């Protein structure tokens, strides 16, 4: 039996109102040599029935059902069962807006013997109305260039670690899997781990992906676990930086190992978290992380405007950041 060239992996959990649009946007693709893995992660609505119905109508669609374990668990399940040479992920409440997206991405990755090709996205609301287009002007100068991991993470990803925008050679993923203990920044972590393997990367200015911004989405949830995951990325980036053979990629990781500490302190200083700041600081052991972060600053040419907040005790830094936000709000 001929194996498909591309495996498309969709984690499915209680998305009956969006799922058909998502699947249909894939089935109209001009490139047809793919398998579509629908990973039902213990849905309690009619999503599982929808998966089975589609699987019966198209032999490229395979519906898997598993106990609920979260989106990372479902994606890992998909990777483990994928037969394609390349993998691409889709979130079930999103959809593709270009019927030649898969054909274009595959042509680029095949013709240039790439490991990763990344397109772009638009943001839509509940009804599918366009909210905004991705800001790709600065990226366009890199279109069709072969990029190192460092060039790619700095100039193309540029803080947007959206794994769903990338067609990836499965062999470069190999034994890397999503961290199922994380509820936040899972894409960032696995993308950095993949890039640490020094893949050949490229970018195409193709806004093929419609990202639906929903207020109840996981990325908008307020929780201490999200802060914990974010602060944990500081040590992760530092550890990766010391293993990388790509100097530009290593420098990027070192910088982010410090700046993610500062950026997450800003979140802790927001009104949503500020009243519980002391208990969160104690629970997450931020004093130890602050000491490690201060030590790391010595190897970086960091702007002085960040240093007072990084080198102060976490409680003082959060208080100062909260006051700074208050002053800015009063002056605006």
């Amino acid at each position: 039996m001929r194996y498909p060239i591309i495996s498309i992996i969709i984690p499915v959990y209680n998305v009956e109102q969006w799922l058909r649009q998502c699947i249909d946007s894939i089935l109209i693709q001009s490139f047809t040599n793919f398998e579509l893995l629908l990973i039902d992660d213990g849905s309690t609505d009619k999503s599982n029935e929808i998966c089975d119905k589609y699987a019966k109508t198209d032999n490229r669609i395979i519906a898997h059902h598993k106990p609920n374990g979260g989106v990372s668990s479902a994606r890992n399940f998909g990777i483990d069962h994928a037969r394609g040479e390349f993998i691409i992920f889709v979130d079930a409440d999103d959809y593709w807006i270009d019927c030649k997206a898969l054909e274009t991405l595959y042509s680029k990755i095949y013709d240039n013997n790439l490991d990763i090709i990344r397109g772009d996205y638009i943001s839509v609301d509940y009804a599918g109305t366009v909210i905004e287009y991705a800001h790709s002007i600065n990226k366009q100068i890199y279109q069709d260039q072969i990029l190192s991991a460092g060039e790619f993470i700095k100039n193309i990803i540029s803080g947007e670690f959206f794994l769903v925008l990338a067609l990836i050679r499965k062999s470069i993923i190999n034994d890397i899997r999503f961290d199922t203990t994380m509820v936040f920044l899972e894409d960032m972590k696995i993308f950095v781990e993949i890039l640490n393997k020094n893949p050949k990367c490229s970018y195409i200015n193709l806004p093929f992906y419609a990202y639906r911004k929903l207020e109840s989405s996981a990325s908008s949830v307020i929780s201490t676990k999200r802060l914990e995951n974010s602060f944990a990325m500081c040590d992760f980036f530092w550890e990766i930086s010391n293993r990388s053979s790509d100097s530009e990629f290593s420098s990027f990781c070192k910088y982010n190992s410090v700046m993610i500490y500062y950026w997450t302190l800003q979140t802790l200083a927001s009104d949503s978290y500020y009243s519980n700041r002391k208990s969160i600081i104690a629970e997450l052991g931020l004093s130890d992380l602050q000491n490690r972060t201060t030590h790391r600053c010595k190897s970086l040419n960091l702007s002085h405007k960040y240093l007072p907040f990084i080198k102060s005790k976490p409680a003082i830094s959060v208080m100062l950041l909260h006051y700074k936000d208050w002053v800015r709000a009063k002056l605006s």
Side-chain angles (χ1 to χ4, degrees):
M1 181 176 63
R2 185 180 69 164
Y3 285 122
I5 293 176
I6 297 173
S7 296
I8 304 169
I9 298 172
I10 305 182
V12 175
Y13 181 71
N14 291 354
V15 284
E16 60 179 345
Q17 67 186 120
W18 314 117
L19 186 55
R20 292 182 182 86
Q21 182 182 21
C22 179
I23 296 174
D24 289 342
S25 74
I26 292 169
L27 295 183
I28 63 172
Q29 289 295 306
S30 58
F31 183 93
T32 60
N33 191 359
F34 62 81
E35 64 175 357
L36 176 55
L37 304 180
L38 301 175
I39 316 300
D40 170 38
D41 192 40
S43 295
T44 57
D45 64 357
K46 294 182 179 180
S47 295
N48 53 355
E49 297 176 18
I50 295 172
C51 290
D52 288 337
K53 286 180 180 178
Y54 271 95
K56 289 177 181 178
T57 63
D58 194 318
N59 60 13
R60 296 173 300 174
I61 302 176
I62 305 170
H64 293 280
H65 303 279
K66 60 181 287 296
N68 179 254
V71 64
S72 290
S73 172
R75 283 174 165 180
N76 287 341
F77 188 97
I79 296 172
D80 292 340
H81 289 79
R83 299 175 298 158
E85 183 181 356
F86 301 94
I87 286 177
I88 191 167
F89 298 95
V90 187
D91 289 338
D93 51 357
D94 300 333
Y95 55 97
W96 290 349
I97 57 174
D98 188 328
C99 65
K100 291 188 175 182
L102 211 54
E103 177 184 350
T104 305
L105 292 170
Y106 176 69
S107 295
K108 292 292 182 181
I109 206 168
Y110 178 80
D111 292 345
N112 296 283
N113 193 28
L114 301 169
D115 297 306
I116 299 174
I117 180 72
R118 184 191 188 275
D120 242 312
Y121 70 99
I122 63 171
S123 297
V124 299
D125 63 12
Y126 186 96
T129 304
V130 177
I131 300 173
E132 63 179 335
Y133 290 88
H135 303 294
S136 58
I137 296 176
N138 294 332
K139 300 174 190 173
Q140 289 181 16
I141 61 174
Y142 299 99
Q143 174 154 305
D144 293 332
Q145 294 185 29
I146 308 299
L147 304 172
S148 67
E151 293 168 329
F152 186 76
I153 199 170
K154 181 179 178 181
N155 301 305
I156 304 303
I157 292 181
S158 189
E160 294 183 333
F161 289 87
F162 299 152
L163 204 65
V164 292
L165 301 180
L167 181 63
I168 305 172
R169 189 180 298 274
K170 186 185 178 185
S171 60
I172 204 73
I173 297 176
N174 194 15
D175 58 346
I176 299 174
R177 294 295 182 269
F178 289 89
D179 187 339
T180 57
T181 67
M182 298 180 70
V183 300
F184 186 52
L185 302 182
E186 311 97 310
D187 277 17
M188 176 187 286
K189 185 174 184 182
I190 195 171
F191 220 149
V192 170
E193 289 178 324
I194 292 170
L195 290 174
N196 193 43
K197 292 193 171 186
N198 297 320
K200 288 176 62 179
C201 309
S202 192
Y203 167 76
I204 179 171
N205 183 22
L206 176 69
F208 72 97
Y209 194 96
Y211 164 60
R212 201 187 304 270
K213 286 191 172 182
L214 303 173
E215 290 184 2
S216 59
S217 67
S219 61
S220 65
V221 173
I222 295 173
S223 74
T224 303
K225 184 66 174 177
R226 283 167 54 87
L227 291 176
E228 179 184 4
N229 290 164
S230 187
F231 280 121
M233 292 301 294
C234 299
D235 289 336
F236 169 75
F237 267 111
W238 185 258
E239 189 272 332
I240 285 284
S241 74
N242 290 318
R243 288 196 283 116
S244 176
S245 58
D246 180 332
S247 60
E248 189 169 8
F249 180 72
S250 178
S251 295
F252 179 91
C253 290
K254 283 184 189 301
Y255 176 79
N256 277 268
S257 72
V258 171
M259 289 307 299
I260 286 179
Y261 174 76
Y262 171 77
W263 293 325
T264 312
L265 283 182
Q266 286 185 310
T267 302
L268 184 53
S270 68
D271 291 339
S272 301
Y273 292 98
Y274 189 69
S275 62
N276 297 317
R277 64 193 183 282
K278 292 182 180 179
S279 60
I280 293 173
I281 288 170
E283 179 183 346
L284 300 185
L286 295 190
S287 294
D288 290 338
L289 178 58
Q290 185 263 328
N291 288 333
R292 294 194 297 274
T293 305
T294 298
H295 178 74
R296 291 163 187 169
C297 285
K298 297 177 182 178
S299 63
L300 300 173
N301 184 22
L302 206 63
S303 171
H304 290 295
K305 68 179 181 180
Y306 303 120
L307 294 179
F309 303 102
I310 292 172
K311 294 188 175 182
S312 299
K313 292 182 178 180
I316 295 174
S317 296
V318 171
M319 181 182 66
L320 292 173
L321 287 166
H322 183 76
Y323 179 70
K324 185 179 76 170
D325 291 341
W326 179 82
V327 171
R328 183 184 294 118
K330 289 293 184 180
L331 295 176
S332 62

